[in-house]
Amino acid sequence: MTVLRTDRLLLRGWRDSDLGPWAALNADPDVREHFPDVLTREQSEASAARFRADLDRRGWGWWAVEVRATGEFIGFAGLDPVEESVPFTGVEAGWRLARPAWGHGYATEAAMAVVTFGFETLALPEILAITTAANHRSRAVMRRLGMTHDPGEDFDDMSVPAGPLRRTVVYRLANGNRPAV
């Protein structure tokens, strides 16, 4: 499995010790503001098991994110093929951090690492990112990555209950168009 390092972060495989903080992160209504529900501990553990399996099988996917200076688990970041319910194909970059880790530039730093890996190691022609229209923090990360938004590609995610979380925006970044690190 690949491990990614940045100046401040380590993107690595999942450990059993990550499960408690991961469950707490997913139970936080602020962190899950742009999702239909918070997750139970069982749902969080099941997602971590899927992430581990994907990393073991492919060598890439949703990595656990750790602050190198302290060893603290702060969330996840990575790449994954878009879900079948989405009206297009491709590989998506994503991130989710615990509330205390917000505002330090960690999401952008981790996302830049996974985008670099996707382009330089996997030779992906393009990477995209998807979020709810109202998720301005994630959309800001997407713009910092150099991704562009075409409103014509936005769609309603029918797997989400009717309401403000259904409208989904798509950002794209072509290999060769990313900003210098």
Side-chain angles (χ1 to χ4, degrees), residues 25 28-34 74 96-107 137:
L25 178 158
D28 182 336
D30 288 336
V31 172
R32 298 286 300 181
E33 175 185 4
H34 299 286
I74 60 168
R96 187 177 320 146
L97 301 180
R99 179 68 183 95
W102 294 2
H104 301 282
Y106 293 145
R137 287 185 302 270

Side-chain angles (χ1 to χ4, degrees), residues 97-154:
L97 301 180
R99 179 68 183 95
W102 294 2
H104 301 282
Y106 293 145
T108 301
E109 188 172 331
M112 186 61 76
V114 301
V115 165
T116 299
F117 174 82
F119 287 149
E120 292 181 0
T121 302
L122 301 179
L124 296 172
E126 176 184 67
I127 295 173
L128 52 101
I130 303 167
T131 192
T132 63
N135 190 344
H136 300 293
R137 287 185 302 270
S138 279
R139 292 178 75 171
V141 172
M142 294 168 192
R143 287 189 299 274
R144 284 192 292 274
L145 293 173
M147 293 182 151
T148 57
H149 172 233
D150 176 357
E153 290 191 306
D154 295 352

Side-chain angles (χ1 to χ4, degrees), residues 9-121:
L9 303 173
L10 182 67
L11 283 70
R12 57 162 174 76
W14 290 76
R15 300 176 183 149
D16 290 342
S17 61
D18 299 331
L19 297 179
W22 176 242
L25 178 158
N26 285 309
D28 182 336
D30 288 336
V31 172
R32 298 286 300 181
E33 175 185 4
H34 299 286
F35 295 91
D37 295 305
V38 296
L39 298 182
T40 65
R41 182 172 181 98
E42 293 75 22
Q43 289 169 318
S44 289
E45 288 181 2
S47 67
R50 286 190 307 275
F51 303 157
R52 279 180 172 176
D54 286 343
L55 286 168
D56 287 345
R57 181 175 47 84
R58 289 190 305 231
W60 59 274
W62 300 120
W63 286 277
V65 177
E66 168 184 311
V67 177
R68 290 176 65 176
T70 64
E72 176 188 11
F73 170 88
I74 60 168
F76 88 152
L79 298 166
D80 202 48
V82 296
E83 296 179 10
E84 291 181 14
S85 63
V86 173
F88 44 79
T89 60
V91 174
E92 172 186 11
W95 47 86
R96 187 177 320 146
L97 301 180
R99 179 68 183 95
W102 294 2
H104 301 282
Y106 293 145
T108 301
E109 188 172 331
M112 186 61 76
V114 301
V115 165
T116 299
F117 174 82
F119 287 149
E120 292 181 0
T121 302

